[in-house]
């Protein structure tokens, strides 16, 4: 370890591994360290199942009905990939897809007051058949989806009098006559906003999000989402392999005791009695807790289920969006299975 590097990366979260891979490809000498014995950091995929109990300091063992612990990969922070999104484009561009296997998520659903979940309508055909809306609302929503799909910034005839640089999303909903329930699942289940603040903001970003959802759905059919077959932890490992192929050095289970500074500049990282010198350090916030500020938090729960979620057509994998307005909360929720 007592060498000099262009860059030292601390932590093997997705962002850190992407940067490590890209910098190695560009010819930088990279040392990548992680205090954990696994890849992924806070977004790791934990296996076997016994380790998830240990991770959360639970003392009870797994039940026989859960099968073999090695058959489980539990993501600490599960997130789907948009099939037509930037991350998928990056995976294809860098060739990291050769190290990964993906599956299409079987469905996307939204919760509605009354305790029922409904499939999210994302095209004109589904808009006319969904049970989320009444007959007249279906037709209004279908017109809205056609507008989003046909909108071309350079073709004024597709704008229908809407200026996406000045109109708020609330004004767009009003123009198409969409009610509160339709706005709820459009903003939360299609555009994936966490709360309703977006309605008072310029509509351009939300329309692009809905268009991305629709384009991603069209790419593979059933769902707009992809998921690594063996969990999200595969993504950082894929970029780690890319880095290693181009000369990057990896050290897991290697604590970082100090980021060494000289004259106000980073010059290296110390681990025990060893010090690696460098010109730049990239790290996740947990390595520099004195230099970051907490501005919010997310509540998460991992549930081990022995049955499909009702009203999801017995899907083996799905996403359920719970809009804030439907449950009287200040922010929306998403459940993945």
């Amino acid at each position: 370890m007592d060498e000099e590097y262009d860059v030292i990366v601390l932590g093997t979260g997705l962002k850190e591994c992407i940067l490590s891979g890209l910098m190695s490809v560009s010819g930088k000498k990279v040392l990548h360290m992680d205090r954990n014995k696994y890849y992924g950091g806070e977004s790791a995929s934990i296996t076997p199942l016994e380790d998830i109990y240990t991770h959360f300091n639970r003392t009870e063992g797994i039940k026989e009905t859960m099968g073999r612990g090695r058959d489980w990969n539990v993501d600490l922070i599960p997130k789907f990939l948009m099939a037509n999104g930037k991350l998928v484009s990056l995976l294809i561009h860098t060739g990291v897809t050769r190290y990964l296997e993906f599956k299409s998520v079987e469905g996307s659903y939204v919760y509605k007051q009354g305790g029922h979940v409904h499939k999210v309508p994302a095209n004109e055909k589904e808009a006319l058949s969904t049970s989320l809306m009444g007959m007249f609302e279906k037709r209004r929503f279908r017109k809205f989806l056609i507008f989003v799909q046909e909108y071309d910034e350079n073709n004024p005839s597709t704008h229908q009098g809407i200026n996406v640089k000045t109109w708020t999303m609330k004004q767009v909903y009003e123009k198409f006559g969409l009610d509160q329930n339709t706005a709820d699942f459009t903003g939360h289940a299609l555009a994936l906003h966490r709360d309703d603040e977006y309605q008072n903001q310029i509509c351009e970003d939300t329309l692009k999000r809905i268009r991305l959802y629709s384009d991603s759905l069209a790419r593979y059919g059933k769902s707009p989402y992809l998921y690594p077959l063996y969990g999200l932890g595969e993504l950082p490992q894929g970029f780690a392999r890319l880095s290693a192929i181009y000369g990057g050095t990896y050290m897991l289970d290697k604590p970082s005791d100090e980021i060494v500074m000289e004259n106000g500049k980073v010059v290296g990282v110390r681990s025990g009695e060893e010090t690696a010198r460098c010109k730049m350090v990239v790290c996740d916030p947990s390595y520099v807790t004195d230099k970051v500020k907490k501005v919010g938090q997310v509540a998460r729960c991992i549930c081990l289920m022995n049955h499909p979620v009702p009203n999801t057509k017995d899907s083996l994998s799905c996403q359920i969006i719970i809009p804030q307005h439907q449950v009287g909360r200040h922010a929306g929720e998403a459940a993945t299975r």
Side-chain angles (χ1 to χ4, degrees):
M1 181 178 163
D2 292 315
E3 297 182 39
E4 184 157 348
Y5 298 86
D6 293 313
V7 184
I8 296 178
V9 181
L10 304 177
T12 54
L14 179 57
K15 293 188 291 293
E16 292 78 36
C17 286
I18 288 175
L19 290 171
S20 174
L22 295 178
M23 287 187 288
S24 294
V25 170
S26 67
K28 302 289 186 184
K29 186 178 181 181
V30 177
L31 171 64
H32 203 147
M33 299 165 52
D34 195 315
R35 62 171 77 94
N36 299 311
K37 61 182 180 181
Y38 51 81
Y39 289 93
E42 296 298 321
S43 301
S45 299
I46 304 295
T47 187
L49 185 59
E50 290 84 353
D51 284 4
I52 205 76
Y53 282 81
T54 303
H55 183 84
F56 290 105
N57 300 316
R58 301 296 295 266
T59 55
E60 69 268 30
I62 67 172
K63 299 177 181 178
E64 288 186 12
T65 54
M66 294 179 176
R68 297 186 308 167
R70 285 281 174 192
D71 292 337
W72 292 75
N73 276 291
V74 181
D75 285 335
L76 297 181
I77 305 178
K79 292 183 179 180
F80 291 155
L81 284 70
M82 277 291 190
N84 210 40
K86 291 181 179 179
L87 181 54
V88 171
S89 298
L90 179 62
L91 289 167
I92 294 171
H93 176 73
T94 57
V96 172
T97 47
R98 72 175 76 109
Y99 312 125
L100 306 171
E101 290 183 66
F102 291 90
K103 68 169 292 182
S104 179
V105 176
E106 292 184 21
S108 182
Y109 296 82
V110 63
Y111 175 89
K112 189 177 179 182
Q113 261 176 339
H116 297 288
V117 295
H118 303 262
K119 189 174 187 309
V120 177
N123 55 42
E124 304 93 281
K125 183 179 178 181
E126 290 184 350
L128 291 176
S129 61
T130 181
S131 58
L132 266 172
M133 302 169 281
M135 181 176 65
F136 296 111
E137 184 70 8
K138 288 178 182 179
R139 296 189 178 279
R140 290 191 287 267
F141 182 63
R142 178 177 177 273
K143 289 180 180 179
F144 169 76
L145 286 180
I146 292 174
F147 159 72
V148 173
Q149 202 60 38
E150 294 182 347
Y151 181 85
D152 180 352
E153 186 177 358
N154 301 314
N155 184 358
S157 66
T158 66
H159 297 185
Q160 297 191 28
I162 296 173
N163 186 336
V164 298
K165 304 291 185 183
T166 60
W167 280 44
T168 64
M169 200 60 211
K170 187 176 182 180
Q171 289 175 297
V172 176
Y173 288 151
E174 289 172 350
K175 176 178 174 60
F176 286 94
L178 303 182
D179 64 21
Q180 179 64 53
N181 283 332
T182 306
D184 270 349
F185 77 74
T186 300
H188 293 280
L190 297 184
L192 302 179
H193 287 293
R194 287 189 306 166
D195 54 47
D196 287 339
E197 282 300 310
Y198 79 94
Q199 291 198 33
N200 300 315
Q201 298 168 357
I202 300 304
C203 66
E204 184 176 28
D205 176 60
T206 299
L207 296 178
K208 285 181 178 179
R209 285 167 172 246
I210 298 170
R211 177 72 173 267
L212 172 61
Y213 187 100
S214 180
D215 290 346
S216 296
L217 182 68
R219 190 161 187 174
Y220 294 109
K222 276 188 180 180
S223 162
Y225 302 116
L226 298 176
Y227 207 79
L229 190 58
Y230 300 106
L232 280 181
E234 290 287 290
L235 292 177
Q237 285 190 60
F239 283 100
R241 289 183 186 178
L242 180 67
S243 175
I245 288 172
Y246 284 87
T249 301
Y250 274 77
M251 294 183 180
L252 296 181
D253 202 14
K254 187 75 170 175
S256 167
D257 297 317
E258 180 189 4
I259 295 179
V260 183
M261 309 282 289
E262 290 180 5
N263 300 319
K265 292 184 178 180
V266 171
V267 295
V269 173
R270 181 178 66 82
S271 177
E273 299 299 318
E274 301 175 295
T275 299
R277 299 186 68 84
C278 64
K279 299 169 184 147
M280 179 171 68
V281 170
V282 175
C283 63
D284 75 44
S286 68
Y287 285 87
V288 283
T289 53
D290 59 323
K291 299 184 185 301
V292 295
K293 177 183 176 183
K294 181 180 177 180
V295 295
Q297 63 184 18
V298 177
R300 291 189 175 91
C301 177
I302 296 175
C303 301
L304 304 179
M305 304 177 67
N306 62 2
H307 60 84
V309 178
N311 302 317
T312 60
K313 298 181 180 178
D314 291 344
S315 296
L316 296 176
S317 59
C318 65
Q319 174 177 249
I320 302 172
I321 300 290
I322 307 174
Q324 67 172 88
H325 187 264
Q326 299 295 326
V327 288
R329 291 178 60 89
H330 295 299
E333 302 174 359
T336 57
R337 180 176 184 277

